[in-house]
Amino acid sequence: DVKVTQSSRYLVKRTGEKVFLECVQDMDHENMFWYRQDPGLGLRLIYFSYDVKMKEKGDIPEGYSVSREKKERFSLILESASTNQTSMYLCASSSPQPFGLNTEAFFGQGTRLTVV
Amino acid sequence: QKEVEQNSGPLSVPEGAIASLNCTYSDRGSQSFFWYRQYSGKSPELIMFIYSNGDKEDGRFTAQLNKASQYVSLLIRDSQPSDSATYLCAVKPRYAGGGNKLTFGTGTQLKVEL
């Protein structure tokens, strides 16, 4: 059974703190993603990685960074948390299937982060 | 124009009825299309994918794809209260780039009423 695991289900942090969100997948997937989800805005891509040590900005990378030192682990870092980063954070992974075929993303359980 | 558009709802249907959820996309060259179900407070889970024109059936679910009209739909037959959730449409664009990124719609909330 495929599995994407996020380190925390709920997290409360103070403004200005450095925050680490961890994600581990056991499917040997090359691709990993970090999204945030807010009411009315849907899923927005923050960063993604298609290989170890490779990363690319998504649609809303400002205020975030990522790290991928091992294939199975992808970390999202909030360098200095702010209240507008209060959100649900979702990690996902997928395999690089050929053109046109199933490239579904598998999601972790989500981390609800509150910055106070 | 948004890349993937869905009506946010809520779409209310009585138990046992057919629920029809629609999604349009802007990239004509898009390749693969996915429907995810997301219960409140939970993460999305894949329920269907389709990449050829026509219908694809899986149990009570049918995905329909019309590339000429750039829409994809999800039909849920014999709707149950447990189907009440938000349904996300996701599209793999022609140029998904490294990572095979999917583009998600904002989701349609479905409510199945007793």
Side-chain angles (χ1 to χ4, degrees):
Chain A
D1 196 18
V2 297
K3 200 146 189 183
V4 180
T5 304
Q6 295 181 229
S7 54
S8 303
R9 189 81 175 87
Y10 300 95
L11 214 50
V12 180
K13 294 293 181 181
R14 294 194 180 278
T15 300
E17 276 194 78
K18 190 169 186 176
V19 182
F20 293 86
L21 302 182
E22 306 285 345
C23 176
V24 177
Q25 50 96 3
D26 65 359
M27 296 167 283
D28 201 34
H29 282 167
E30 280 79 4
N31 305 324
M32 296 189 74
F33 310 84
W34 275 107
Y35 294 89
R36 64 177 284 178
Q37 187 174 34
D38 301 286
L41 297 177
L43 281 164
R44 293 183 291 169
L45 182 64
I46 304 171
Y47 266 97
F48 69 98
S49 167
Y50 52 89
D51 201 352
V52 176
K53 296 190 185 294
M54 303 301 290
K55 60 186 178 185
E56 284 197 24
K57 295 179 180 179
D59 301 319
I60 51 164
E62 296 78 19
Y64 304 94
S65 62
V66 290
S67 172
R68 190 157 182 211
E69 296 296 318
K70 294 185 177 181
K71 189 176 185 180
E72 67 270 19
R73 188 179 297 269
F74 192 35
S75 302
L76 180 69
I77 304 155
L78 287 67
E79 295 291 342
S80 178
S82 63
T83 54
N84 63 13
Q85 293 178 310
T86 292
S87 185
M88 169 72 95
Y89 289 87
L90 289 160
C91 174
S93 73
S94 73
S95 65
Q97 291 291 336
F99 177 82
L101 296 183
N102 177 16
T103 54
E104 66 178 283
F106 296 89
F107 285 87
Q109 77 275 31
T111 297
R112 185 162 293 283
L113 172 68
T114 302
V115 182
V116 298
Chain B
Q1 181 189 6
K2 291 183 181 177
E3 293 179 63
V4 179
E5 291 208 53
Q6 297 179 257
N7 188 318
S8 61
L11 173 66
S12 294
V13 300
E15 185 178 5
I18 296 175
S20 178
L21 305 161
N22 299 312
C23 170
T24 58
Y25 58 94
S26 60
D27 181 356
R28 185 171 289 277
S30 295
Q31 302 300 320
S32 308
F33 307 85
F34 304 83
W35 283 100
Y36 285 82
R37 178 177 61 200
Q38 186 175 23
Y39 292 114
S40 180
K42 302 293 186 182
S43 60
E45 57 176 329
L46 182 76
I47 52 173
M48 291 285 289
F49 74 91
I50 187 168
Y51 47 83
S52 299
N53 271 329
D55 295 0
K56 179 181 179 183
E57 188 174 316
D58 184 1
R60 295 187 297 113
F61 298 98
T62 299
Q64 299 176 317
L65 175 60
N66 184 324
K67 289 188 176 181
S69 299
Q70 295 175 238
Y71 83 78
V72 56
S73 61
L74 179 70
L75 301 179
I76 306 175
R77 289 182 299 282
D78 188 25
S79 295
Q80 302 296 310
S82 59
D83 295 326
S84 297
T86 295
Y87 290 80
L88 303 174
C89 172
V91 174
K92 179 187 168 189
R94 179 184 348 188
Y95 300 113
N100 280 326
K101 299 184 300 297
L102 300 181
T103 301
F104 285 85
T106 54
T108 298
Q109 185 184 7
L110 173 66
K111 292 185 177 180
V112 180
E113 298 167 334
L114 295 171

